[in-house]
DNA sequence: TACGATACGGACCCAGGGTCCGCTTTGCAA
DNA sequence: TTGCAAAGCGGACCCTGGGTCCGTATCGTA
């Protein structure tokens, strides 16, 4: 095992930083005015500590995101229907996208911070790739859907953090309405006839 | 008229900056390593000049983008079918999204720079709002499509610059294939039956 | 040609991410 | 218990890059 267990003060500080960052992102308007120094100060820790634990800003954001995501991920990988693996593809696609949307609604600032500030593209990240692959494999089990690869990307794009922020935040669309809109949209994509044979 | 005509050296410099920036964004791998100082140097101009002409980085990016967009915009607002206003809604939706995709393919780095680095959300920009409104109004003329507002956002999200960059750039999907994928996807959304009445 | 208005340019400023290194804490072992 | 590496700490420090300032040069009009 190449991993050695960290010293307990290190572990405690790591948690403190995570908690402080979480609180700050929830409190402040825009993620970009939460500075690394702020987080360090709020956690009662030096900047060095913070960078040693998470490498860089993107690393911290990612760690926070993954921590928040853990329960959802578990529900998807091993939970009961409609999110869990025992669900038929059609319903699971809807449930999955709804879960993603809800997650972003519940973690707006954080998701925003990660998708803008994260090192380069939000697409080159472990959890996006996993999610996209899962969605893709489910789409490909639905008869009549030709290109699961692209469709998975496109559907996920409809839940991008900044779009959610625009609709839920700036335009004040209520949560349930947004969920209904996404559900309708997903239904259109998933239940559509094969392209090349328009309904008309 | 509140606008006074600029001095001719100012106009010349403005063009030089635009050209230099354009070249730099096309040449360099990532937009974030094109610095303002680089642009100024490449244009043979001082930094002050550059900021006087465009206010800030976002302003320069926006000016460049709009300049590139001008012909497309014209084709949409006053050109012949299938992009122009005389086109029936169903075809025009496809044509519009294809045009957006092609534009982003032809201006990858620039679009990327604008969508990431632009002042805050890429959604709070004049041209996005115009585009989204137009798409929305066309979608609402298509029978059976309930929520044009959300669908317009969601469809445009499928052409986000970083997604295009991932697929066309990093994964090497050829241009025509990507266009076909998007066309299929759009067809699914637009030609789908009303939600609540699945095709099965 | 003279002179006000406009523009130039690069030295300068500053915030914020990331590093460094002398000091402290931890925890194993004698 | 105490000794002593190794691991961790923290905040002064560095550097990049966006944005500003102001003395100087240019424009264009009378």
């Amino acid at each position: 095992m190449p991993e050695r267990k960290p010293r307990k003060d290190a572990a405690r500080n790591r948690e403190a930083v995570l908690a402080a960052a979480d609180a700050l992102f929830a409190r402040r308007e825009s993620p970009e005015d939460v500075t690394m120094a702020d987080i360090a100060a709020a956690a009662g820790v030096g900047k060095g500590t913070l960078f040693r634990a998470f490498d860089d800003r993107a690393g911290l954001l990612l760690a926070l995101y993954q921590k928040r995501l853990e329960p959802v991920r578990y529900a998807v990988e091993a939970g009961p229907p409609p999110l869990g693996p025992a669900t038929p593809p059609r319903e699971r696609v809807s449930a999955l996208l709804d879960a993603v949307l809800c997650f972003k609604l519940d973690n707006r600032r954080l998701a925003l911070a990660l998708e803008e500030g994260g090192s380069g593209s939000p697409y080159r990240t472990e959890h996006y790739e996993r999610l996209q692959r899962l969605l893709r494999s489910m789409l490909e089990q639905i008869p009549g859907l030709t290109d699961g690869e692209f469709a998975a990307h496109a559907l996920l794009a409809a839940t991008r953090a900044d779009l959610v922020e625009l609709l839920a935040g700036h335009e004040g669309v209520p949560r349930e309405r947004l969920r209904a809109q996404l559900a309708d949209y997903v239904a259109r994509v998933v239940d559509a006839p094969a392209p090349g044979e328009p309904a008309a």
Side-chain angles (χ1 to χ4, degrees), chain A:
Chain A
M1 53 175 76
E3 292 292 315
R4 289 215 300 288
K5 70 167 59 174
R7 245 165 60 170
K8 85 173 172 218
D9 54 349
R12 181 169 34 76
N13 279 332
R14 184 186 171 89
E15 289 311 306
V17 168
L18 243 23
D22 211 342
L24 281 181
F25 279 116
R27 194 166 2 269
R28 296 263 225 278
E29 261 314 304
S30 168
E32 69 220 16
D33 51 45
V34 174
T35 158
M36 293 287 114
D38 287 345
I39 297 174
V45 137
K47 278 178 66 177
T49 299
L50 185 155
F51 280 96
R52 195 168 331 95
F54 300 100
D55 291 349
D56 54 15
R57 182 172 234 260
L60 170 53
L61 258 6
L62 208 62
L64 244 183
Y65 199 77
Q66 275 167 348
K67 185 174 185 179
R68 290 294 202 118
L69 205 50
E70 207 172 324
V72 180
R73 185 180 165 188
Y74 182 80
V76 170
E77 288 180 357
L83 262 187
T87 321
R90 170 64 185 79
E91 284 79 43
R92 204 169 175 218
V93 167
S94 294
L96 200 59
L97 286 161
D98 186 55
V100 172
L101 175 62
C102 287
F103 182 79
K104 301 223 181 161
L105 282 166
D106 293 335
N107 301 278
R108 283 213 297 235
R109 312 278 161 64
L110 179 56
L112 213 47
L114 194 66
E115 289 188 20
E116 331 195 299
S119 56
S121 181
Y123 291 107
R124 309 282 287 278
T125 177
E126 182 54 30
H127 77 265
Y128 181 84
E129 283 176 5
R130 189 194 339 273
L131 185 56
Q132 194 268 346
R133 273 198 304 272
L134 176 60
L135 186 57
R136 171 191 184 172
S137 77
M138 282 165 9
L139 289 171
E140 284 172 349
Q141 292 172 44
I142 295 177
L145 218 164
T146 43
D147 197 329
E149 169 79 23
F150 184 81
H153 282 300
L155 285 171
L156 286 173
T159 68
R160 286 285 292 260
D162 46 7
L163 181 53
V164 170
E165 177 64 26
L166 174 76
L167 296 175
H170 189 66
E171 296 191 354
V173 178
R175 180 189 182 92
E176 293 310 319
R177 171 142 177 71
L178 198 49
R179 290 179 67 191
Q181 288 177 320
L182 179 65
D184 275 11
Y185 181 78
V186 172
R188 294 190 71 82
V189 174
V190 168
D191 299 329
E197 312 172 18

